[in-house]
Amino acid sequence: MKKKKVKTRTHNYKKHIGKAPGTLVYTGKKTEKQLKIESFDYTKDTITENVLTNIADVKAHKETDSVTWINIDGLNAITEIENIGKQYDLHPLVLEDIVNTAQRPKIDEYDDYLFVVLKMLYYDTNENIVIEQVSFILGKNYVLSFQESEGDVFDNVRERLRHGNGRIRGLKSDYLLYALIDAVVDNYFSIIETLGNKIEDLETDLFEGNAKEDISIEVQQLKREILKVRRAIFPLREIINRVEKGEHALILQRTINYYRDIYDHLIQVSENIDIYREMIWSLMDMYMTTISNRMNEVMKVLTIISTIFIPLTFLAGLYGMNFEYIPELQYRYGYFVLLGVMFLMFLGLLYYFKRKKWL
C-alpha cells in the first residue's frame, strides 16, 4: 500500500515554549552565522560609510552630534545582537522581538527610543513572494536596522545619503526612519502591481477559453499570496497612525507630514489588496462557471445524439422482431426504403435542432 506523503511544516512558536520572557530565540530559516554591519555617519556636508567588523565600534556612534544609520544583517547571530542591545540599552523584550521573525508588525515606545517592526516584501528568482522582517530602533541621533539576511530595498536611500540628494542629510534621525519605511512601502506597490498583472492574465485566459488544466492551482496560489501580503501590510497602518498622532519627542513636528504621506500610500495599497482579493474570488467563481458550462456543452451534444438515435433505434428494433409475418419484410426494396426513412428522419432532426439553435 502506497504511503501518503506528509508535508513537513515548521513550527516557529514551539521554540519559545518554556523560555523566560526576554530570552533571545531566532525563529528564522537562515543557518549561516555571519553578521554584517554597515554604518552611515553623516551631517549636512559630510558622510562616512564603513563596514564594521568589531561590535564595540557600534557604540561609538550612539552619542555623536551627527546622524548615524547602522544596518545589521544576520538575526541568527544571537550573541552579537545581544551585545549591541546592551551597548544601546535596549530592553530584553525588544531584542527578543528582533530575532523573532514571526513577530507581527508593531511599534513600541520607550523613554529613549522607538522600536518598530515591519515586513519587507520582494520576489525571488522563482517569482515567489519573500517576506522578511525588518526591525528599527530610532534614537536621538541614530537609527538601527536589523535584517535577517543581506539584500533589501534601501539602495535608493543609500544613494541619497552618499550623494546628498534631497533633504535627508539635512534633517534628523526621525526623517531617516521615514525614508527607510517609505522605501519599504514603495516596494509594496511593485508587489501589488505584479499580483495585479498575474490576476489580469488569468482573467484574460478564462474569458478567452485558454485556461490551463492547473489554473485552479494558480488561483489558489494567488489567493495565498494575497493573504500573505495582506497580513504583512495591514498592521503597518496602525504603526504609522500611532506615529502620526503620537507626541514622542523623537518624532519632530515637521516630520509628521512625511509619515502622513506614508499612511496615504498604505491606504492606497490596502485598497488595491482588497480589490485584488475580490477579483481572485471572482476568478474562482468564473473558473467553476466555465467548468459547468463545458459540462453543459458536453451533455447537450450527448443529449442531441441520443435524441437523434431514439427514433432510429425504434425502427431498427421494430423490424428486428422475430415475428414470422411482418408485411414489409416481404417487400423487395423494404430494406432500402427503411434506410431512406431513417436517413430522412436523421436530416429532419438535425434541421429542427439547427432551427432551434441547439446546435
Side-chain angles (χ1 to χ4, degrees):
M1 183 177 178
K2 187 177 180 180
K3 292 184 178 180
K4 183 179 180 180
K5 186 177 179 180
V6 179
K7 184 178 180 180
T8 58
R9 300 180 184 274
T10 56
H11 302 279
N12 294 327
Y13 288 103
K14 286 186 176 181
K15 299 179 182 180
H16 287 277
I17 296 177
K19 303 288 184 181
T23 303
L24 274 64
V25 178
Y26 173 65
T27 59
K29 299 179 180 179
K30 186 178 178 181
T31 56
E32 298 177 4
K33 290 189 177 182
Q34 183 177 359
L35 190 72
K36 178 183 177 183
I37 305 175
E38 60 175 342
S39 68
F40 291 84
D41 187 80
Y42 61 90
T43 62
K44 185 176 181 180
D45 302 316
T46 63
I47 182 170
T48 303
E49 179 180 354
N50 289 310
V51 175
L52 305 180
T53 56
N54 192 344
I55 298 296
D57 296 334
V58 176
K59 187 178 181 181
H61 298 284
K62 183 179 179 181
E63 303 295 340
T64 60
D65 294 331
S66 57
V67 179
T68 305
W69 172 29
I70 299 177
N71 183 53
I72 298 104
D73 294 328
L75 298 185
N76 56 341
I78 299 295
T79 304
E80 290 81 357
I81 290 178
E82 195 168 14
N83 289 335
I84 293 173
K86 291 178 180 178
Q87 292 177 10
Y88 280 81
D89 299 322
L90 302 182
H91 196 281
L93 293 178
V94 170
L95 297 176
E96 179 185 357
D97 290 340
I98 287 174
V99 298
N100 177 18
T101 57
Q103 177 62 50
R104 184 180 185 270
K106 68 172 186 174
I107 180 172
D108 288 335
E109 299 181 13
Y110 293 85
D111 293 335
D112 300 327
Y113 59 89
L114 286 178
F115 173 53
V116 179
V117 181
L118 50 81
K119 302 297 182 180
M120 180 171 60
L121 309 180
Y122 57 90
Y123 279 101
D124 61 12
T125 54
N126 297 322
E127 289 197 359
N128 296 318
I129 291 182
V130 177
I131 300 179
E132 182 179 340
Q133 177 169 300
V134 182
S135 304
F136 297 106
I137 303 293
L138 171 64
K140 181 179 179 181
N141 290 318
Y142 64 86
V143 173
L144 305 180
S145 59
F146 297 85
Q147 303 181 51
E148 188 171 4
S149 57
E150 294 184 37
D152 51 41
V153 298
F154 303 138
D155 288 340
N156 186 44
V157 178
R158 293 185 179 94
E159 290 301 312
R160 288 160 59 191
L161 287 171
R162 290 171 182 141
H163 300 99
N165 298 333
R167 57 182 63 86
I168 187 169
R169 275 172 44 179
L171 297 177
K172 295 296 184 179
S173 57
D174 58 338
Y175 185 87
L176 173 60
L177 177 63
Y178 152 76
L180 295 172
I181 296 177
D182 186 58
V184 173
V185 173
D186 284 346
N187 197 61
Y188 290 164
F189 284 98
S190 175
I191 298 295
I192 295 300
E193 183 179 0
T194 303
L195 283 173
N197 292 336
K198 289 182 178 180
I199 294 172
E200 290 174 3
D201 290 342
L202 280 178
E203 190 176 42
T204 301
D205 290 340
L206 280 173
F207 268 121
E208 296 179 352
N210 299 325
K212 302 176 184 177
E213 292 294 331
D214 59 347
I215 192 171
S216 60
I217 299 177
E218 293 184 36
V219 172
Q220 290 295 333
Q221 289 176 345
L222 276 175
K223 187 161 53 171
R224 283 195 294 268
E225 287 184 2
I226 283 288
L227 290 176
K228 287 169 62 177
V229 171
R230 192 174 187 272
R231 282 197 299 267
I233 292 178
F234 268 55
L236 188 53
R237 294 193 302 180
E238 177 186 345
I239 295 174
I240 302 303
N241 190 42
R242 284 184 58 184
V243 171
E244 181 185 346
K245 295 181 179 180
E247 296 181 354
H248 201 285
L250 293 172
I251 305 293
L252 302 181
Q253 188 61 37
R254 65 184 178 185
T255 316
I256 293 296
N257 288 333
Y258 296 109
Y259 285 95
R260 195 169 292 138
D261 182 64
I262 292 180
Y263 187 80
D264 293 339
H265 290 171
L266 286 172
I267 293 296
Q268 184 179 349
V269 170
S270 300
E271 289 176 351
N272 288 336
I273 290 176
D274 289 336
I275 291 172
Y276 291 144
R277 189 183 180 195
E278 293 297 326
M279 289 179 65
I280 288 178
W281 284 107
S282 299
L283 280 179
M284 182 58 71
D285 293 339
M286 189 187 304
Y287 173 67
M288 299 304 296
T289 302
T290 303
I291 292 179
S292 178
N293 289 339
R294 288 179 182 175
M295 183 64 68
N296 289 339
E297 287 293 326
V298 172
M299 293 302 297
K300 184 175 74 172
V301 172
L302 294 177
T303 302
I304 290 174
I305 293 175
S306 300
T307 303
I308 291 175
F309 275 90
I310 285 175
L312 304 184
T313 305
F314 171 75
L315 291 177
L318 178 65
Y319 289 101
M321 292 186 294
N322 294 324
F323 290 106
E324 185 176 353
Y325 298 104
I326 298 178
E328 291 83 356
L329 294 180
Q330 307 300 323
Y331 183 59
R332 182 177 180 180
Y333 301 104
Y335 172 73
F336 301 102
V337 171
L338 182 60
L339 287 180
V341 171
M342 295 172 71
F343 182 70
L344 289 175
M345 291 179 67
F346 172 74
L347 293 179
L349 288 172
L350 285 180
Y351 173 76
Y352 178 77
F353 292 145
K354 279 284 187 180
R355 189 174 180 181
K356 289 288 186 179
K357 297 182 179 180
W358 295 347
L359 282 176

